[in-house]
């Protein structure tokens, strides 16, 4: 699977080698001019006379050294420039980087557009994410009108599974939906680790006041925000019903204001993999000069080596 998220950090470790493309272009044009057997005569004869003395035909070869050379040269230059989009992983950062899961346990999460309820489906998604992440450090916060740390950072996913199972709106001391309350708790959990972490917010809506507070918080922190929109935006409220649709627009605005990312709920595991990729790539996005970048050009060396096989063909070098 291609890591499309990591590709946003693509760059060349040694970009000065890209100037070799100028030499490659010069060599290619020189070879083409040499292959033009009429080039010398065009300087001393008129086009009309030369046309009468020339036997029509073509010695064009679609597969020849002159055609392979610029391709192999381009690959070699790219390898020399050192393409990279991933830093060398730091075992210390991986052990310390934390994920805070903030689960909305308000009354709106009891809506049934995702059967049986949004809250139950959100819990299932969290369990699948914990399975995918293994023993990574994870904390759990539950919020409605107030926010509470259910489980501090732990690498025991089974503990979080046990504590998330009984969460319901009836357990929350204050009704409502105020996601702002999770921000100081997130700071208390992630800041002591000393490395950037992730706040994963599973909810079905937000407010303009939360947007302002989240924007101010993430402007001061290196942590990232990932919003997991729990609900089906295709289901609309019918006249006279008590159904509260998914507030997708407000969640998109919250993610944009916080320089975060929004992941929409899917019935398969695509959203789980997307969330996990965002979490794993958080440390790469942060400018960490202590970790060198991995040179991703080495696999292309095999393509260059394979091209040399053609030079063992009989008559190959005569086809220029």
């Amino acid at each position: 699977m291609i890591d499309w998220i990591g590709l946003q950090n693509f760059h060349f470790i040694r970009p000065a080698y890209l100037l070799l493309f100028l030499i490659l272009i010069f060599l290619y044009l020189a070879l083409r001019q040499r292959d033009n057997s009429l080039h010398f005569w065009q300087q001393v004869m008129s086009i009309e006379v030369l046309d009468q003395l020339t036997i029509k035909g073509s010695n064009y070869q679609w597969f020849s050294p002159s055609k392979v050379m610029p391709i192999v040269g381009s690959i070699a230059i790219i390898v020399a420039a050192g393409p990279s989009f991933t830093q060398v992983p730091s075992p210390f950062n991986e052990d310390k980087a934390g994920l805070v899961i903030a689960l909305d346990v308000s009354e709106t999460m009891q809506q049934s557009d995702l059967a049986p309820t949004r809250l139950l489906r959100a819990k299932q998604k969290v369990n699948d994410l914990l399975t995918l992440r293994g023993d990574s450090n994870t904390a759990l916060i539950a919020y409605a009108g107030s926010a509470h740390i259910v489980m501090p950072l732990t690498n025991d996913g089974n503990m979080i599974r046990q504590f998330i199972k009984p969460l319901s709106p009836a357990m929350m001391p204050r009704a409502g939906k105020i996601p702002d309350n999770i921000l100081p708790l997130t700071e208390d959990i992630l800041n002591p680790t000393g490395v950037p972490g992730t706040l994963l917010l599973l909810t079905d809506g937000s407010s303009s006041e939360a947007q302002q507070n989240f924007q101010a918080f993430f402007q001061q922190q290196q942590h990232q925000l990932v919003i997991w929109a729990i609900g089906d935006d295709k289901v609309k409220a019918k006249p006279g019903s008590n159904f509260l649709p998914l507030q997708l627009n407000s969640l998109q605005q919250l993610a944009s204001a916080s320089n975060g990312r929004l992941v929409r709920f899917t019935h398969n595991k695509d959203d789980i993999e997307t969330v996990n990729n965002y979490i794993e790539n958080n440390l790469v996005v942060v400018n960490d000069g202590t970790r060198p970048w991995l040179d991703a050009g080495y696999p292309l060396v095999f393509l260059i080596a394979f091209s040399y096989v053609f030079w063992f063909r009989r008559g190959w070098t005569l086809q220029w």
Side-chain angles (χ1 to χ4, degrees):
M1 180 179 179
I2 300 177
D3 185 8
W4 298 108
I5 301 171
L7 289 178
Q8 66 182 339
N9 305 299
F10 179 84
H11 69 284
F12 289 100
I13 301 175
R14 300 173 292 274
Y17 280 93
L18 296 176
L19 295 175
L20 293 175
F21 272 110
L22 299 177
I23 300 177
L24 180 64
I25 294 173
F26 172 78
L27 292 176
Y28 178 69
L29 295 178
L31 286 174
R32 289 192 59 183
Q33 184 175 354
R34 191 197 69 172
D35 289 342
N36 185 4
S37 58
L38 299 179
H39 176 71
F40 172 77
W41 297 108
Q42 288 172 348
Q43 300 177 11
V44 296
M45 290 185 181
S46 65
I47 298 178
E48 293 78 7
V49 174
L50 191 60
D51 184 62
Q52 295 297 323
L53 297 177
T54 303
I55 298 176
K56 302 296 188 261
S58 174
N59 62 350
Y60 178 81
Q61 296 286 341
W62 70 271
F63 187 65
S64 63
S66 62
K67 305 301 184 298
V68 175
M69 184 274 292
I71 298 176
V72 176
S74 298
I75 297 175
I77 293 173
I78 292 175
V79 172
S84 177
F85 52 88
T86 305
Q87 282 180 291
V88 175
S90 169
F92 303 102
N93 286 352
E94 287 181 355
D95 290 341
K96 295 179 180 179
L99 167 66
V100 175
I101 299 175
L103 179 63
D104 184 352
V105 197
S106 62
E107 288 292 341
T108 62
M109 292 292 286
Q110 296 292 74
Q111 300 291 339
S112 59
D113 52 335
L114 297 179
T117 64
R118 294 174 181 172
L119 181 58
L120 182 58
R121 297 301 296 273
K123 293 179 180 179
Q124 293 172 350
K125 290 291 186 179
V126 170
N127 288 333
D128 291 339
L129 180 63
L130 292 174
T131 301
L132 184 61
R133 283 175 47 81
D135 57 355
S136 300
N137 284 336
T138 307
L140 177 63
I141 295 177
Y143 78 94
S146 58
H148 309 274
I149 298 178
V150 179
M151 177 61 60
L153 279 180
T154 177
N155 56 7
D156 188 352
N158 290 326
M159 290 291 294
I160 296 181
R161 290 186 181 92
Q162 292 299 322
F163 279 88
I164 199 175
K165 187 182 302 182
L167 291 179
S168 68
M171 297 182 61
M172 303 305 293
R174 185 175 302 174
K177 187 192 299 287
I178 308 177
D180 315 49
N181 294 332
I182 69 177
L183 297 178
L185 300 181
T186 300
E187 185 176 7
D188 293 340
I189 294 173
L190 292 181
N191 283 6
T193 65
V195 294
T198 299
L199 171 60
L200 176 60
L201 179 62
L202 292 91
T203 183
D204 56 3
S206 181
S207 63
S208 58
E209 183 179 355
Q211 178 178 331
Q212 298 174 359
N213 293 331
F214 270 70
Q215 182 178 10
F217 178 82
F218 284 98
Q219 283 178 346
Q220 300 174 357
Q221 304 288 341
Q222 286 188 324
H223 311 305
Q224 72 163 340
L225 172 67
V226 178
I227 300 176
W228 206 337
I230 306 299
D232 189 347
D233 61 316
K234 297 180 181 179
V235 179
K236 306 300 181 182
K238 297 180 179 179
S241 68
N242 295 326
F243 175 75
L244 296 176
L246 172 66
Q247 300 176 16
L248 189 60
N249 290 335
S250 64
L251 294 180
Q252 289 175 335
Q253 293 174 3
L254 179 61
S256 177
S258 306
N259 197 26
R261 306 177 186 277
L262 175 69
V263 179
R264 299 173 64 171
F265 180 95
T266 64
H267 293 280
N268 53 24
K269 294 187 177 182
D270 289 347
D271 54 345
I272 301 173
E273 295 177 355
T274 302
V275 169
N276 187 59
N277 286 336
Y278 285 145
I279 297 171
E280 290 183 345
N281 282 278
N282 185 38
L283 287 176
V284 176
V285 175
V286 177
N287 184 17
D288 185 357
T290 62
R291 293 185 295 142
W293 289 88
L294 288 174
D295 193 333
Y298 290 114
L300 298 177
V301 174
F302 293 100
L303 292 177
I304 300 175
F306 176 74
S307 67
Y308 279 95
V309 175
F310 296 107
W311 262 260
F312 290 92
R313 293 181 58 194
R314 179 178 298 177
W316 173 254
T317 56
L318 299 178
Q319 300 179 21
W320 290 83

